[in-house]
Amino acid sequence: MFTLKAGRLPPADVKNIIFLVRPRLELMDIIAENVLSEDRVRSPLRDFHILFVPRRSLLCEQRLKDQGVLGSFIHREQYSLDLIPFDGDLLSMESESAFKECYLENDQTSLYQAAKGLMTLQALYGTIPQIFGKGDCARHVANMMIRMKREFPGGQNSIFPIFDTLLLLDRNVDLLSPLATQLTYEGLIDEIYGIQNTYVKLPPEKFAPKKQGEGGKDLPTEPKKLQLNSAEELYAEIRDKNFNAVGSVLSKKAKIISAAFEERHHAKTVGEIKQFVSQLPHMQAARSSLANHTSIAELIKDITTSEDFFDNLTVEQEFMSGIDTDKVNNYTEDCIAQKHPLIKILRLVCLQSVCNSGLKQKVLDHYKREILQTYGYEHILTLNNLEKAGLLKLQTSSRNNYPTIRKTMRLWMDDVNEQNPNDISYVYSGYAPLSVRLAQLLARPGWRSIEEVLKMLPGPHFEERQQLPTGLQKKRQQGENRVTLVFFLGGVTYAEIAALRFLSQMEDGGTEYVIATTKLINGTNWIKSLMEKLEPPPF
Amino acid sequence: MVLCAELAGPPAHPGEEAGTLRAVGLAGGGMNRMKVDEEEYWHSSKCKAFTFDDDDDELSQLKESKRAVNSLREIVDDDDDLEKFSWSGEPVGSISWSIKETASSSSNTPEGRDSGLQKGSSSHPALPKQASSYSISSFFKGRNKLGSFQSLSDALSDTGVKSYAPELRRPKADYKDYSSDWSPKDTVRRMQRGKICSLERFRSLREKLELLDEAVSVHDGNVITAILIFLKRTLKREILFQELEVRQVALRHLIHFLKETGEQKLFLDLLRFLDRTEEVALSQYREHLSIQDAEKRREFLKGCIRLPFSSEDAVHVQDHYTLLERQIIIEANDRHLEAAGQSEIFRKYPRKASILNMPLVTTLFYSCFYHYTEGEGTFSSPTNLKKTFKIPDKQYVLTALAARAKLRAWHDVDALFTTKNWLGYTKKRAPIGFHRVVEILQRNSAPVQVLQEYVRLVEDVETRLNLAMKYKCHDVVVDQIRWKN
């Protein structure tokens, strides 16, 4: 299997070539180039096919036609891969532009895909009897689901429902969580290095095997690529912990593994030795896993102990706890003056805006001017997008709703226990993600208790029930947990996922959560998706 | 004789007229053919070659229709194992058939490859001009050969270039129940499943809108877009815009479609119709990014100034224009200076990059670096920039400081912070904290004596002490301790 690249196709002795692509116009141009540069005379004639994932697109086929290659394809089909499993409890559509399309362009294509994905899930795991939602997009998805069910009644299956509840949440109900810096182990890896499809690329120096007597020559230059998922025992244990709690877990693990290796001295009988040897592979895997994560933790620690990280985090936390959100912030200004990366600045000003329900005219103008003068006037376009998305806007009413929301939903918890948390606020060391609070309160005691606050958040909230065929009504056993599928429309962060997992394993929590989303995001790539693609300046 | 068909003009967009067809590269004396002979030539192949003049030949169209309808009955048979026959009587898929097809398509490129001999040129318009192309015969005119779904684009247009890959047996389902009598609802259902549909029979406005509304209600983006393409071609623009104004979903799809296909003019017209003036302004402004030449970009930006931006944005766009205008002047000047080799500063610190299109603050830094001593009168002086763009003191001082520190011009740094008060005494003041000044000086390896002086001015005592120790300003430390005691 080859990655799609411009130019010629890689040589291979095959008859059929299948292009498996997302329906994006740029990709069509690359494909056209591939097809056109096929050496007609030399190689045996090959057949081309194209599979669009998840759906065919008229515009893409039109583009292929314009490029003059549409006729070269014998099969043009679609492969309806809507939701991709990322882990045992995590599904994602990996649609990068979903947030932009839904909230900036009012384009509901990804919502349609979400609805289709949910229909597939229901076909596999049974109709979900209860649907709750908050937000305009949530409403659309629910409507589409209901309509789809009506139109294909044949899909009435006899599968015992696994999910009790579906919770659809618009990203713009909680704009705060992606903007703040995540502080879980996995969240920080994503923030600093970026996790792509469960893989992360890390600077190789710390991963070079240290040999005795070699003075650092032959250092690897290729970044170290690691896969991160729950199949790795140690990772599953530490990924959702607050980063400050990871160190102690790693040192404990180190002691256990050392002790295990020491056992070999105690093995006297052949039987004991045999047992030890049989466990060796597992122990070696554990040791290698420990080595990797110790290195990663060191890399992260270098960043989190830096002055800049600390200053940034301090300002974020001030905003989130409601301090000084209505004036121009000195740290932000300093960062602009020192020309820190633009996305960092945008995250800070947007965070301030959200925590203040919008900025006053003078403050907003001040920030805008400084940004445009320092980074270029063309960023008017990006600032405009941010405004449209509700991230950086003018304060319309004189009332700031955020303090009310913060107090009612207990979004800021002063006494956070990072080592042994008792509340979801540990994932941001103080801030409890609003989206997860909504899920938490839905389970207990229900949304009726927060009607007032819900009205302050954008979009309608609703409840729908889907009929289950008789006999499939779920009877819950004593102590058995409900299963709720939470679908984030517009993206979800690893910190929020960690918070939901925390709720799942809480004793007497009563609910287990499965998470689905349009895309796994962090603040940086999320803001980036809202920025205008600017051409590099001509030189 | 090898003939290369090439379309003059830019690649076609849906709905736009393509350039004229021009026969190029005729081998062997073709250059002298009379124009009338060209027509004959074009029509002389076994299979009807592609020309723009297809619609003139109604008789041949009719013949084809008849042939096609007759063969249709065979295909729509329930018997899966039927053979298909081409116009020439060969069984489709047979070797002889494919050879013939290949040979006759020499007016196009062989084997299903549309002529794309020139990179980027399209060999046919996306949509044909004529109205009668949706007869049954159009399905058989060198259709794309598929095992299953037809392309939705095929549902609309078809006299595009013919492709002659050996035809695979088409599933009967594609033609099942073909009738020309479907309601909008049925048509949309068929299009959803990728089946062939003719939209031409929807002639009245009411029918067309019914079709669109039906597509919207099933939420299928491709079908909506396909129908919009049809409406775009067959409705007067004003009517289309009017109807879409009250159909938000379809409107969104059209906007998305216009953006994707780069139909900027129509897109802006639509926005103007909808009175989304700010969007028009921003969208037009965005185009400046694709203009590489600085002078042309400046011209373009000048034109943008009077666009209906919000009042804040209007100022920024004006500034953008003014800045680029200045940069062009400075760039031209400085390039001269540098080349002449007389200016010391340019000799010592040759420029690594052009100042064009750099942000304002970067330009100010450049100006403080290379043109610090110039008076307010020149375009390249820092004070002129400060005045023109109303740069706040804080920003100005910071930038000037950074530039002069880099040049190790400590006296200039001093002068930045020195003011004479009414008694005639000099005093150092800064709109930014002195700890910042120290930071910047230190980053530029300022000598300890200089650093010391500014550390001494840091307001906060603790910070002062910390910095003094950090940068080894012993005098300050000593003073501090002495003062404490």
Side-chain angles (χ1 to χ4, degrees):
Chain A
M1 204 153 151
F2 299 97
T3 316
L4 188 67
K5 266 197 285 244
R8 300 183 67 109
L9 288 167
D13 189 18
V14 290
K15 173 89 168 74
N16 293 291
I17 303 225
I18 305 176
F19 291 96
L20 190 60
V21 284
R22 294 255 186 205
R24 292 199 340 240
L25 285 180
E26 324 84 77
L27 299 179
M28 298 302 111
D29 291 337
I30 298 179
I31 291 176
E33 208 182 312
N34 282 173
V35 170
L36 290 173
S37 58
E38 259 301 87
D39 197 344
R40 303 267 28 268
V41 177
R42 200 200 49 177
S43 55
L45 300 172
R46 305 209 268 205
D47 293 336
F48 293 106
H49 316 271
I50 186 164
L51 277 177
F52 290 102
V53 180
R55 221 136 269 118
R56 288 170 68 183
S57 150
L58 176 64
L59 292 182
C60 286
E61 294 190 9
Q62 197 66 64
R63 172 74 114 218
L64 289 174
K65 200 169 192 176
D66 291 343
Q67 296 274 28
V69 296
L70 186 63
S72 312
F73 293 97
I74 297 180
H75 283 84
R76 295 195 301 272
E77 310 244 8
Q78 64 192 26
Y79 179 50
S80 302
L81 181 64
D82 293 306
L83 285 167
I84 305 168
F86 269 70
D87 215 311
D89 58 355
L90 182 60
L91 300 150
S92 172
M93 281 164 41
E94 287 303 281
S95 163
E96 281 149 2
S97 47
F99 182 83
K100 185 175 188 185
E101 284 172 14
C102 291
Y103 296 99
L104 242 56
E105 299 166 0
N106 272 312
D107 174 351
Q108 292 172 352
T109 314
S110 24
L111 299 181
Y112 179 73
Q113 188 185 342
K116 282 234 116 163
L118 282 165
M119 297 309 284
T120 308
L121 271 183
Q122 290 187 105
L124 291 170
Y125 300 108
T127 308
I128 306 176
Q130 251 189 338
I131 302 177
F132 288 92
K134 173 74 182 148
D136 286 313
C137 298
R139 182 74 261 184
H140 285 304
V141 172
N143 289 344
M144 282 193 243
M145 281 175 71
I146 293 171
R147 191 204 166 106
M148 285 176 191
K149 194 149 190 70
R150 224 183 16 232
E151 284 175 4
F152 302 103
Q156 196 66 270
N157 51 41
S158 52
I159 301 174
F160 209 70
I162 307 273
F163 296 107
D164 295 284
T165 313
L166 167 64
L167 171 57
L168 295 160
L169 282 177
D170 275 33
R171 184 71 263 175
N172 73 345
V173 168
D174 171 13
L175 293 170
L176 197 47
S177 301
L179 290 171
T181 306
Q182 302 168 62
L183 296 174
T184 59
Y185 181 60
E186 187 165 37
L188 277 167
I189 297 178
D190 191 29
E191 291 266 358
I192 300 171
Y193 295 107
I195 301 179
Q196 284 271 58
N197 301 319
T198 75
Y199 279 92
V200 66
K201 286 203 183 126
L202 300 158
E205 301 82 44
K206 285 213 151 92
F207 297 91
K210 278 198 189 53
K211 295 208 171 81
Q212 304 288 52
E214 276 186 27
K217 48 187 172 192
D218 296 342
L219 270 182
T221 47
E222 284 291 305
K224 172 95 176 159
K225 201 170 176 193
L226 281 178
Q227 186 172 37
L228 301 171
N229 61 36
S230 59
E232 194 182 345
E233 233 174 271
L234 176 60
Y235 188 66
E237 205 182 322
I238 57 175
R239 74 195 302 190
D240 298 318
K241 286 198 181 311
N242 185 294
F243 182 64
N244 287 333
V246 167
S248 55
V249 174
L250 290 178
S251 61
K252 252 186 238 142
K253 254 299 180 311
K255 290 198 183 87
I256 294 173
I257 293 181
S258 299
F261 273 97
E262 287 302 305
E263 280 296 302
R264 70 180 185 277
H265 297 304
H266 301 193
K268 300 278 190 334
T269 70
V270 173
E272 283 174 350
I273 294 177
K274 191 168 176 198
Q275 193 183 27
F276 178 82
V277 170
S278 71
Q279 297 202 334
L280 211 51
H282 179 251
M283 285 160 55
Q284 282 171 333
R287 182 168 59 180
S288 140
S289 168
L290 178 66
N292 281 337
H293 288 289
T294 308
S295 301
I296 297 178
E298 278 175 11
L299 285 169
I300 296 179
K301 204 164 183 76
D302 284 340
I303 309 264
T304 58
T305 46
S306 73
E307 207 176 314
D308 192 58
F309 185 87
F310 178 77
D311 290 337
N312 192 56
L313 190 60
T314 308
V315 170
E316 282 184 9
Q317 301 208 325
E318 279 174 6
F319 287 157
M320 291 193 285
S321 49
I323 299 172
D324 281 348
T325 55
D326 54 352
K327 348 182 164 36
V328 171
N329 183 277
N330 279 331
Y331 175 72
T332 310
E333 271 202 311
D334 281 353
C335 289
I336 297 177
Q338 292 171 51
K339 218 168 172 182
H340 283 207
L342 178 58
I343 292 187
K344 171 184 171 166
I345 307 296
L346 292 176
R347 276 175 84 167
L348 279 171
V349 299
C350 290
L351 185 62
Q352 186 177 351
S353 171
V354 172
C355 291
N356 202 53
S357 298
L359 297 172
K360 291 216 254 299
Q361 184 81 60
K362 270 182 83 177
V363 177
L364 183 59
D365 283 346
H366 185 96
Y367 279 139
K368 273 184 165 175
R369 219 159 127 253
E370 289 206 328
I371 289 173
L372 294 175
Q373 287 185 343
T374 311
Y375 298 96
Y377 290 107
E378 59 271 18
H379 292 285
I380 295 178
L381 301 163
T382 298
L383 292 176
N384 205 267
N385 285 349
L386 292 176
E387 197 170 340
K388 251 175 141 175
L391 283 163
L392 178 61
K393 58 177 195 188
L394 206 55
Q395 193 174 50
T396 42
S397 62
S398 50
R399 246 195 104 201
N400 176 7
N401 279 328
Y402 178 68
T404 314
I405 301 172
R406 191 185 74 235
K407 287 186 197 114
T408 317
M409 311 276 283
R410 294 166 73 224
L411 297 183
W412 183 259
M413 308 290 279
D414 275 313
D415 53 349
V416 172
N417 187 332
E418 290 169 348
Q419 307 290 335
N420 294 303
N422 56 3
D423 178 73
I424 57 172
S425 52
Y426 83 89
V427 297
Y428 289 97
S429 287
Y431 163 70
L434 172 58
S435 53
V436 181
R437 271 283 192 253
L438 285 172
Q440 192 179 14
L441 291 170
L442 177 67
R444 274 204 212 118
W447 274 357
R448 221 153 281 180
S449 59
I450 48 166
E451 278 282 340
E452 281 307 307
V453 171
L454 278 177
K455 288 206 190 87
M456 294 181 191
L457 298 169
H461 62 277
F462 59 89
E463 179 184 343
E464 296 284 346
R465 291 195 184 259
Q466 300 199 101
Q467 277 287 21
L468 286 177
T470 49
L472 289 184
Q473 316 287 345
K474 200 161 181 182
K475 290 182 211 27
R476 187 135 311 96
Q477 308 287 33
Q478 184 68 289
E480 198 187 326
N481 284 333
R482 298 169 59 90
V483 179
T484 298
L485 172 64
V486 186
F487 204 128
F488 289 85
L489 299 164
V492 73
T493 59
Y494 288 103
E496 288 165 300
I497 295 172
L500 284 168
R501 284 182 181 146
F502 176 81
L503 291 176
S504 296
Q505 52 80 60
M506 255 170 62
E507 295 223 3
D508 309 333
T511 312
E512 273 177 42
Y513 294 96
V514 174
I515 301 127
T517 181
T518 53
K519 178 84 178 76
L520 293 164
I521 59 171
N522 60 50
T524 301
N525 55 33
W526 186 50
I527 296 281
K528 207 180 213 169
S529 74
L530 293 171
M531 291 176 79
E532 288 292 330
K533 295 188 186 52
L534 304 173
E535 310 284 316
F539 259 47
Chain B
M1 157 120 30
V2 175
L3 176 72
C4 311
E6 181 210 314
L7 232 52
H13 287 299
E16 280 177 28
E17 311 253 318
T20 50
L21 185 65
R22 191 178 54 187
V24 186
L26 295 167
M31 294 301 182
N32 299 327
R33 273 186 191 247
M34 304 286 277
K35 189 146 202 300
V36 68
D37 284 350
E38 273 187 22
E39 304 289 316
E40 275 179 24
Y41 179 81
W42 280 109
H43 287 282
S44 67
S45 62
K46 190 151 208 148
C47 297
K48 200 155 140 57
F50 167 66
T51 71
F52 277 86
D53 303 321
D54 256 357
D55 46 349
D56 291 338
D57 195 356
E58 288 207 286
L59 182 60
S60 60
Q61 282 223 328
L62 189 56
K63 277 196 206 145
E64 281 175 33
S65 295
K66 263 194 115 180
R67 244 181 274 139
V69 170
N70 290 334
S71 52
L72 180 62
R73 221 170 292 132
E74 295 170 350
I75 296 172
V76 178
D77 237 18
D78 266 358
D79 182 7
D80 255 344
D81 269 341
L82 55 91
E83 279 238 331
K84 281 212 280 198
F85 291 83
S86 75
W87 309 330
S88 51
E90 322 278 338
V92 165
S94 72
I95 299 174
S96 54
W97 176 85
S98 42
I99 292 174
K100 278 220 174 68
E101 294 288 290
T102 308
S104 66
S105 71
S106 61
S107 55
N108 308 308
T109 51
E111 287 277 338
R113 188 80 53 72
D114 306 332
S115 78
L117 292 167
Q118 203 161 303
K119 202 171 159 88
S121 75
S122 66
S123 48
H124 59 89
L127 297 173
K129 302 175 282 181
Q130 62 272 42
S132 62
S133 53
Y134 302 126
S135 58
I136 299 173
S137 68
S138 67
F139 299 133
F140 298 91
K141 260 196 227 172
R143 201 146 192 63
N144 299 318
K145 308 302 183 270
L146 298 175
S148 57
F149 292 113
Q150 298 294 325
S151 103
L152 290 169
S153 56
D154 289 344
L156 302 179
S157 69
D158 187 55
T159 52
V161 176
K162 300 177 180 36
S163 39
Y164 294 116
E167 180 169 346
L168 302 175
R169 188 171 50 225
R170 189 164 306 134
K172 58 179 174 174
D174 274 15
Y175 296 104
K176 220 177 179 127
D177 313 319
Y178 186 91
S179 97
S180 37
D181 235 7
W182 293 313
S183 65
K185 201 162 182 179
D186 292 329
T187 309
V188 167
R189 293 280 177 281
R190 277 184 67 87
M191 286 174 82
Q192 267 185 298
R193 297 198 292 275
K195 301 216 208 304
I196 296 155
C197 292
S198 154
L199 299 179
E200 290 303 313
R201 69 170 161 284
F202 296 102
R203 295 199 187 282
S204 73
L205 178 64
R206 189 187 58 81
E207 287 179 313
K208 287 174 179 165
L209 293 176
E210 232 180 277
L211 189 62
L212 181 64
D213 290 335
E214 185 57 41
V216 167
S217 65
V218 301
H219 298 283
D220 190 324
N222 283 327
V223 177
I224 298 174
T225 305
I227 292 174
L228 282 171
I229 292 177
F230 166 62
L231 292 186
K232 184 165 145 299
R233 193 170 44 81
T234 59
L235 282 181
K236 264 218 190 59
R237 180 175 291 195
E238 298 75 42
I239 300 179
L240 177 65
F241 286 179
Q242 222 170 298
E243 292 301 329
L244 288 183
E245 196 172 7
V246 296
R247 291 176 170 79
Q248 283 302 310
V249 176
L251 177 63
R252 274 186 255 125
H253 271 94
L254 182 62
I255 288 179
H256 179 80
F257 166 74
L258 292 176
K259 271 200 203 154
E260 287 285 285
T261 54
E263 278 200 64
Q264 184 71 344
K265 188 174 176 308
L266 188 56
F267 173 60
L268 291 176
D269 284 343
L270 177 58
L271 287 181
R272 279 191 209 101
F273 178 87
L274 297 168
D275 227 4
R276 284 154 65 157
T277 47
E278 264 178 58
E279 253 183 272
V280 172
L282 286 166
S283 185
Q284 262 188 267
Y285 172 74
R286 185 185 292 114
E287 287 174 56
H288 86 269
L289 293 168
S290 49
I291 305 175
Q292 305 293 13
D293 176 70
E295 187 54 51
K296 291 206 181 90
R297 194 182 269 209
R298 188 194 66 84
E299 273 302 312
F300 183 84
L301 286 175
K302 190 168 187 188
C304 285
I305 295 177
R306 266 171 285 108
L307 292 175
F309 290 107
S310 68
S311 49
E312 302 91 40
D313 283 345
V315 175
H316 296 309
V317 174
Q318 169 79 57
D319 281 350
H320 190 174
Y321 162 72
T322 311
L323 180 62
L324 183 57
E325 189 184 47
R326 300 290 169 90
Q327 285 173 339
I328 291 175
I329 296 171
I330 296 173
E331 177 67 25
N333 235 24
D334 286 0
R335 206 177 284 163
H336 237 101
L337 279 176
E338 211 169 9
Q342 303 289 359
S343 161
E344 188 188 333
I345 184 85
F346 284 108
R347 274 208 314 258
K348 266 176 103 174
Y349 299 95
R351 304 181 320 147
K352 294 205 195 86
S354 141
I355 194 60
L356 295 172
N357 296 304
M358 290 289 112
L360 176 61
V361 171
T362 313
T363 312
L364 179 62
F365 179 89
Y366 174 95
S367 158
C368 288
F369 196 88
Y370 288 110
H371 300 277
Y372 196 56
T373 51
E374 288 173 27
E376 210 176 288
T378 63
F379 280 142
S380 43
S381 81
T383 37
N384 188 307
L385 283 174
K386 180 175 200 285
K387 195 156 175 230
T388 312
F389 295 99
K390 301 195 190 54
I391 301 176
D393 277 343
K394 212 168 161 180
Q395 182 68 271
Y396 182 82
V397 166
L398 262 172
T399 313
L401 169 64
R404 299 330 282 172
K406 189 146 189 212
L407 285 167
R408 310 182 70 76
W410 314 122
H411 291 299
D412 289 335
V413 170
D414 261 358
L416 262 179
F417 299 110
T418 310
T419 49
K420 272 197 157 73
N421 72 4
W422 64 279
L423 284 172
Y425 291 119
T426 59
K427 184 170 154 43
K428 281 216 162 61
R429 271 176 51 227
I432 55 178
F434 275 107
H435 63 282
R436 289 295 312 281
V437 180
V438 171
E439 217 177 287
I440 295 174
L441 288 173
Q442 194 274 337
R443 238 188 290 144
N444 286 285
S445 319
V448 177
Q449 306 92 300
V450 178
L451 265 182
Q452 206 160 253
E453 191 162 346
Y454 288 95
V455 170
R456 211 171 263 148
L457 292 165
V458 173
E459 297 85 356
D460 178 63
V461 178
E462 203 179 309
T463 321
R464 196 188 310 159
L465 196 54
N466 286 337
L467 287 174
M469 291 200 282
K470 190 169 170 189
Y471 300 130
K472 306 203 176 25
C473 305
H474 305 296
D475 284 352
V476 181
V477 179
V478 168
D479 281 345
Q480 199 64 18
I481 298 173
R482 205 193 295 149
W483 182 87
K484 257 191 162 161
N485 298 341

